Amino acid sequence: MTISDVRESRSLLRIAGLPYFLIALVARLPFAMMVVGVLTAVVSIRGSLALGGLTSATVGLGTACFGALLGAAADAFGQRRVLLVLAAANAVALALFAAVVYGDTPDGLVLAAAFGIGATAPQVAPLSRARLVTLIRHRIAPERAPRTLSSTMAYESAADETVFVIGPFIVGLLAAATAPWAPLVGAAVLTAVFVGAFALHPTGRLVAPGREDGAAPSSDVRDLFRPRVLVVVGGTLGVGLFFGSMLTSLTSFMADRGRADEAGLMYGVMGIGSALFALGVAYLPARFSLAARWIAFASVLLAGSLSLLLAASPAAMACSLAVIGIGIGPTLVTQYSLAAARSPEGRSATVMTMVGSAVVVGQAMASALTGSVSERFGTSAALLLPIATAALVLIAAVANAVLSRPRA
């Protein structure tokens, strides 16, 4: 009897175990702390906001260049080996960056160290998704699998939103209570301990190459570049572009009112709503297809973005962000569900890291562009960029609907 023949009636929570979800949640925190921690350290120690922004973008660039490759390595060699190497390498990279930024070193070396942080960042979120998708495919009864997959992607997206709200808060707390290097060292410790624990968890054996009894050989690499996969990657790139443009233009909006330090709190209005509505996706009826969900929630995202043009006060801005949160969380859940469903055999970690890296790339690109537009043309011009990126997400949703039609 093969693993794929075993269809258990137990829930995914009981199959994976509660400790798995707790470990996977905390193991995401270092990634959420890295960009903000680097920015805080550079601005505080080097006294340059421009260098700080460039350094944070360089972390994202490192992740963008190597994220999908690390996912492919996990598919080829198993998550456990790859994650153990990355846990050690990333902890060292974080500690090295702290030493470099404090030293009398050229800015180029600071940027190189930041790139190393991004390049070695353990892709816990996409690898967790890939791991849970494997469990669903082989341990959940077929009639329960679609709803379980939807619930799992909803939880994973909510977990991402949660750590990206908590992560910057921890950075600020550690930096204020101790020193600018503290968040970096804290992230290094969390990486070594919890990413290591995530790698060694028993579920890691399920995604080791050759360990799934009766598993089919991995699909051809060309299958990763089929339109039905690429449209999802393009859609998540659009979400990343939205995140970057929204946060940067929001910072400009609050700075115009002398309250730039409150931009993160205001952004949290969107993040909290996004997480809550992401969890709600699990309760949507199965007849509300993934293609239709993407179009519906991307439309809400665009409508909320258009309302930014009417926001003349922080209160009005908070209302716009609340509407945006209704659209953005479910959109991401839908995109990850599509990515899971369309992952070629043996390539789930690769696809999940492609999708995750697209968000990081989009965020880094849009942050740099929006900052430049805000500085040259003002906040009103900068607020047009979230609208444009939301429109791109909707266009990708329509393209996906076309590609999702049954072939004649």
Side-chain angles (χ1 to χ4, degrees):
M1 180 180 291
T2 65
I3 290 179
S4 58
D5 293 326
V6 180
R7 303 295 186 179
E8 302 190 25
S9 61
R10 292 184 297 167
S11 68
L12 185 62
L13 177 60
R14 290 186 63 190
I15 293 170
L18 180 60
Y20 170 82
F21 290 95
L22 296 177
I23 292 169
L25 181 67
V26 180
R28 297 170 206 246
L29 267 177
F31 191 81
M33 295 168 63
M34 286 174 193
V35 174
V36 180
V38 164
L39 175 65
T40 301
V42 172
V43 173
S44 300
I45 299 164
R46 297 276 173 132
S48 172
L49 183 58
L51 179 61
L54 183 59
T55 307
S56 332
T58 304
V59 175
L61 179 63
T63 302
C65 290
F66 287 90
L69 294 176
L70 296 177
D75 280 329
F77 305 109
Q79 286 193 16
R80 179 165 292 182
R81 294 179 184 176
V82 173
L83 282 168
L84 286 174
V85 171
L86 289 176
N90 193 243
V92 170
L94 286 162
L96 179 63
F97 181 86
V100 167
V101 77
Y102 267 97
D104 187 18
T105 54
D107 293 345
L109 189 56
V110 174
L111 295 175
F115 184 86
I117 291 175
T120 59
Q123 303 289 307
V124 173
L127 292 182
S128 176
R129 286 181 172 92
R131 197 179 290 193
L132 294 176
V133 166
T134 299
L135 279 174
I136 292 168
R137 286 178 176 173
H138 298 294
R139 298 291 184 88
I140 299 293
E143 64 273 12
R144 297 175 56 224
R147 179 168 288 277
T148 303
L149 177 63
S150 178
S151 300
T152 302
M153 292 303 108
Y155 163 77
E156 288 286 308
S157 295
D160 287 345
E161 296 280 359
T162 300
V163 297
F164 275 99
V165 170
I166 294 174
F169 174 76
I170 293 175
V171 168
L173 190 64
L174 288 174
T178 310
W181 54 263
L184 298 171
V185 174
V189 172
L190 287 174
T191 296
V193 175
F194 285 94
V195 175
F198 177 75
L200 295 172
H201 191 272
T203 55
R205 291 197 297 267
L206 296 173
V207 285
R211 293 301 299 271
E212 292 183 20
D213 299 332
S218 295
S219 301
D220 194 281
V221 173
R222 289 176 297 181
D223 291 337
L224 295 171
F225 301 98
R226 295 187 182 279
R228 284 162 57 88
V229 175
L230 292 180
V231 73
V232 179
V233 177
T236 53
L237 175 65
V239 171
L241 289 168
F242 178 83
F243 282 147
S245 60
M246 187 67 253
L247 178 57
T248 308
S249 59
L250 175 62
T251 302
S252 178
F253 177 89
M254 296 302 289
D256 289 348
R257 289 152 181 79
R259 300 165 65 178
D261 56 337
E262 297 178 21
L265 293 175
M266 186 72 72
Y267 193 67
V269 172
M270 184 186 80
I272 293 171
S274 177
L276 291 175
F277 279 90
L279 288 172
V281 170
Y283 300 98
L284 294 175
R287 62 180 179 273
F288 189 9
S289 69
L290 291 176
R293 291 179 192 183
W294 188 351
I295 290 177
F297 290 112
S299 299
V300 174
L301 171 62
L302 180 58
S305 301
L306 287 169
S307 71
L308 294 171
L309 298 176
L310 304 176
S313 66
M317 176 61 73
C319 291
S320 295
L321 291 170
V323 175
I324 288 170
I326 296 172
I328 196 71
T331 296
L332 261 180
V333 172
T334 302
Q335 290 170 338
Y336 273 110
S337 296
L338 284 166
R342 296 176 182 175
S343 296
E345 186 69 40
R347 303 283 183 184
S348 59
T350 307
V351 172
M352 289 300 178
T353 48
M354 286 171 63
V355 170
S357 296
V359 176
V360 175
V361 172
Q363 191 166 9
M365 289 171 54
S367 295
L369 175 61
T370 308
S372 176
V373 169
S374 174
E375 191 170 314
R376 295 185 62 185
F377 303 107
T379 299
S380 297
L383 286 170
L384 294 174
L385 295 180
I387 298 172
T389 56
L392 288 176
V393 176
L394 182 56
I395 290 170
V398 174
N400 173 74
V402 173
L403 292 170
S404 299
R405 290 175 181 171
R407 295 181 176 87

